[in-house]
Amino acid sequence: MYSHQPAAPGQPATREAALNGPLDRRMGTTDKSLTCTTCHEPLQTCAGHFGYLKLTLPVFHQGYFKAIITILSCICKSCSRVLLDPDNYSSALSFMRRVQDDHLRRAAKLRAITEECKKISVCPRCGACNGPIKKIPAGGSRYLMLIHDKFAKHEEQKLEFHSMLAAEDKSFSLTKRSQDMKQAIGKAAQDLDPLTVLDMFQRIPDEDVEHSRPEELIITHLPVPPCCIRPSVAMGVGAGSNEDDLTVILSEIVKASESIQDTMDKGGSIANIMDCWGFLQLKIAHYFNSELPGVQQQLTMKSSGKRKIMRGFAQRLKGKQGRFRGNLSGKRVDHSGRTVISPDPNLHVRQVAVPVHMAKILTYPERVTSHNLVRLKKAIDNGPDIWPGATHILLQGNSNDRKDLRYYPKKIAKNELRIGDIVERHLIDDDVVLFNRQPSLHRISIMAHRAKVLKWRTLRFNECVCNPYNADFDGDEMNLHVPQTEEARAEAIELMGVVNNLCTPKDGSIMIAATQDFLTGSYLISRKNTFFHEAQMWYYCSFTCDAKEDFELEPPAIIKPMRLWTGKQLLSMLLKPRKNTRSLETDVEVLVNTELGESQYEKKSDNDIDKGRYMCPHDNYVCFRNSELMCGNLGKSTLGAGNKNSLFYTLLRDCDAETAADRMTKLAKLCSRWMGLHGFTFGIEDVMPTEPIKKAKAEAMQKVKDKCDKLIADYRAGKLQRVPGCDLELSLEQMVGKELDDVRNLVASAAKKELHYDNKVLVMALCKSKGSNDNISQMIGCLGQQKLGGSRIPNGFIGRTLPHFEMYAKEPAAKGFVENSFFTGLNPTEFFMHTMTGREGLVDTAVKTAECGYMARRLMKSLEDLSIHYDSTVRNSHGCIVQFRYGDDGLDPMLMEDDDGKPINMKRMIQRSCALLGCYGDEERSPANFTLMTEEQLKHFLDEIICRYRRAVAEPGSAVGALGAQSIGEPGTQMTLKTFHFAGIASMNVTLGVPRIKEIINASKIISTPVVEVPLQLDRDEINARIIKGRIERTTLGQVAKYIKQVFAPSRCYVVVKLDMQCVQDLQLNLSASTVKKAILSDPKLKVKEQHISSKGTDKLLIHPPHDGRSKESLHFMLINLASQLRNVIVCGIPTIRRAVIQSTEVKGGGNSYQLLVEGTGLQEVMATSGVKGASAKTNHVMEMQTVRERRREKGRRERRGEVLGITRFGLAKMKESVMMLASFEKTVDHLYDAAIHGRSDQISGVSECIIMGTPVQIGTGSFKVLHQTDPQDAVRPRRR
Amino acid sequence: MVFLLEDLFDVKDIDQDGKKFDNVSRIQALSQTYGLELTIDINTEIYPMKIFDRFSMALSTNLRKDGEPDEGVYDQSGVETFADDFEYVMHGKVFKQYRKPGETEMSVFVSFGGLLMHLRGDEQQLNKLELDTKVYLLMRKN
């Protein structure tokens, strides 16, 4: 580092950077025409040189201010030795020397030492007084100032000091001074200005200091960064330049420092100097961090006017756009493109159509071999402007010899081209490209496609791939990246290829599958009334494969009176065009066997094999037998995403991914082309209600209206039956709400029954391609109840929702029930209510996305470095074991074939083995019943399941942490609308959804709905359950008292409490006057003493107010108070528990089993209650569970140090060692200062650190290394840099 | 040629669960000799059926009169077949047999490209319809 001393800038006439100024050319330059005067290099090659600024007086560094205070608290302010007594001193020193790595323990020890030192008021070495260090609040020119209250604990010494002062100062004795001064003397304290502190720190002996000197925390010389990091922008010739904020502040600092020197030289007053010093302090603080409290306001005060906010160093680093998150963790890249997307069902699912314009800009450096020589020569010939051409050539791969084909003669280039050269050619068909859509919430938001260069201007892909990107075509844009090496391409296509990622890693269900029109098309084709004659059949078959494949057409389903094939036969042909069609990769025969109920299938008909299932009158049961569609109308369950029995999933698992993707593409082609011929236009006539629907709607409406009217009448008369736990109003709302919710469903089912089978809405709803029951009824029937925050529309006016209604109206229409449909049109009040709910939805989505995004980011930061190692343990980047086996079974959730997370779907595997091998009586088989299988079948079955189990084991290197974080974060964004986030169990509401995940992740101390599940010892006895419920539930005196009366007798006044013994009996409480007396006495709020209470009989208590002559309060008020307080005295139960509910579940052997659900905290008390199975009581409150020392592992949280840490900035700081990772998360600057003070080092092993440093991450394909060492002479020269 | 099954049926009911489509109906029928219960989907547009109709139905694995084996592929040669003797002929596959343990009655399911046939009756009559065999259904009204 070169050092120069810049001085205040003058105004040189030549507009050259002043020597010793903040832009001194010895520190480099930002002007292209100038050179650095230190190294004489131009801007491009000179990295700049540091200068320094010598300050007139030292100042505190605001980032180290806390550390300075800590050190000051620990040392004697007189002799600068550590305040600890020699024993403690040596043990503390040896601890710090011994424990070097564990920064958490070091920090804890430091805290303990500091606390210890603060208690010591007399220095054990020199005997001087020491008191607390105090900050002086900022104001005026005061900023970062400290005082030492030396005599805080030594009053006599203070007096001594005062008398000493008085003795010194006889003529102008302190006592004679003004009243103000007198008070001030009482507060007299040692002023700790930076100079004093610097002196103290310098006097600390080296033996007390560990790795660096504390005086370094105080700024005496300020480093001045090179000019290139704070470039000046020229404003035109001779017009001067605009300077960077840092330069401006630096010049201000120089000025401030100079002015101190000036004042001192001229002999200015002390106050004057202190003022200047304060200003310098402020400016330097501003230089480091302009957002500090105090700095901003003081600066605006000083300049008294609007001032743009200057960016200090801290501002450059922190935040989303800051250096860490904006430039180090994520960077802008070359070889990428972005444009609008559009659909193209004619593309293979793995393809992406790249516009020619883009293909001409995106290039790939291809090395010339004998195989591609001709093609590349042709590309060179085409040049940079004709696709497929080339833009540059690198002779023999030498990047210094890069020839631009725009200028380099093509002929020479072509003739020069040798094997080993590199040609940067245009993107051509089948190049590997990465395709991505933001927000990238999970790993399949970026996948590798094969390029297909086409004309026009959009990026196009098969709609089947919309799902993982969550893309639609309403103007979405997507990004395209071109990997630049063969290794990168190979890795990308293998690991990120679309075909290899048909399933979501979250639960393994298929995510790339038919959508929208493909579902509608397949539904229509597979319907029973679809028949094709011969020409049609051949034509449609050729649709599937662009007429590039051979077919062995099976005989028509109807041979006579005319030859007709059915749509189902067409789909079977698509699946298996020839008798012995083989799968594309694994080369097994394509034999699909699966059975499933479609979405409208009624599960209850499953057992009636003769009438239900296959013979389902609505053809909703789908059966594929050896790749032939036997029955069933295909819809979303069979062809769409998310089902593990679906056709494509079965294809994927039983054949291979390539075949599944191929059939998907074929289906897309067939459906879009067939639909193009068949036609599927949605028009007004599709939503016109027919007479029967109108009638059904009117009936339903009338019925509901009558019911509601009756309920409202009952409510008005006060006769309404209350719902448990609700008041009259709430009961009405609940009951009316239930009635009104049903209307829409009633109308929908009527509409479904009456609509023609070719009605477009109906078709789309039945195959689930678009629209639901609700949409049908909203369009055709009625819009139904509009809800705001889960209840009917609240009153916006006094006593009513809108002025169109009567006051206190409760009828459906007045509270937001919309009787009209979108077809009939809404009336004004209905429309208004409808907009209210519409807005709620919009607001909610906006709020939730931000919340979820932050949650996902935190989750990712905390789990990013977890991966499976070769010993099958899950470890973080430091090698700490988090789990011995991933998920305790080592299986990859992506490869689970059964719906409930089991690796193998036994039922389907048996069916498959039986269908594949022979046809011995195909009875209902279960995994427990193999008797009806042949030996061959059984063997096949066993081999298959063992093979599949082995395949399902998660691979070493898998980034399981990131996977987990994504699997929680991504679904979170899908969960909008608050109303979905609550669910009741046994009339108890439990928080669910995003708010609940947030509670768990934050490790919140207070959660919104804590519930304790309490199993009972005698769980079959209801009476017992009631008794225990009584013991647990909080019961106040008011609840069990018959009356609480104030008695005014002539002699005395008192309160009488009489217990309602009948009620006590009913509630199964163990209460009597004596127990109540005890409860009253132990209540902390009541000041009633033993002598004030007397019991009368077993159920009566007399309580006298604790009134005596001294009380300020009047006896009357005291009595009233007492009476009301007594009502709230808790007589039995656990105070923290609001409510307990008995939950009964039916047991198989008959009878019920009971357990309690308890609302509130207090697990420990509940467990200790007799009659409770304490050891198996559960709570949903994580932090409480921890305090009760029941360790339980929650997903997404770690207890490495035996402590549950929330995934927040506080918890993360405790679980992560890497400073760089923490700095890139939150509180960037604080972590950096902290690391500097404690001399922390970073291993660069985690994901964030590696990304920041640009090194490969030790996860996935980076988790292993080749240990073989080669002789340097044998080593092949690497191909690329 | 021996048929797998041959009998006279009476149509008992049409579209028991309501009419779904204009051109396809589900027909319930009962056989006269063996008492077989038959449920079958028929394209009534080209082969209308009425309630109380009586028809004879036969099932066969091969239609060719010359006894050449059937290859299960659409045959365009136009050779003489049994189909010439019937009015309505379908081609399909037996895909499910079901028999409750201990009962002599069994159910057989045949799919003619999605047009389903369900036969329920005595084991003796139906066990010739083996699983996964391709069958031809031949129908003629009497």
Side-chain angles (χ1 to χ4, degrees), chain A residues 522-562:
Chain A
S522 321
Y523 177 83
L524 292 175
I525 291 174
S526 64
R527 225 159 46 167
K528 258 183 197 164
N529 66 339
T530 314
F531 294 98
F532 308 127
H533 53 72
E534 192 173 343
Q536 280 178 316
M537 188 67 182
W538 283 117
Y539 188 39
Y540 297 150
C541 280
S542 63
F543 273 179
T544 62
C545 59
D546 303 320
K548 281 176 186 161
E549 216 169 318
D550 298 332
F551 287 94
E552 283 175 9
L553 197 60
E554 61 176 317
I558 300 175
I559 298 171
K560 241 187 130 176
M562 61 189 294

Side-chain angles (χ1 to χ4, degrees), chain A residues 528-529 531 534 553 555 557 559-560 563 566 579 609-610 614-615 618 625 628 630 757 923-924, chain B residues 20 22-23 26 41 71 74 83 86 89-91 93 96 99 107 111 113 116 118 120 132 134:
Chain A
K528 258 183 197 164
N529 66 339
F531 294 98
E534 192 173 343
L553 197 60
I559 298 171
K560 241 187 130 176
R563 290 191 185 126
T566 63
K579 275 210 150 158
I609 288 181
D610 284 331
Y614 309 103
M615 299 305 288
H618 306 278
R625 189 169 170 88
E628 272 181 86
M630 303 288 29
Y757 64 84
E923 305 285 328
E924 287 303 292
Chain B
K20 296 276 172 257
D22 294 337
N23 56 352
R26 179 160 287 187
D41 295 326
E71 283 169 7
Y74 177 40
F86 289 86
V89 181
M90 291 207 285
H91 168 258
K93 178 173 158 178
K96 177 88 181 169
R99 178 188 313 144
S107 300
S111 168
L116 299 175
H118 170 229
R120 181 165 173 77
D132 281 336
K134 298 272 180 183

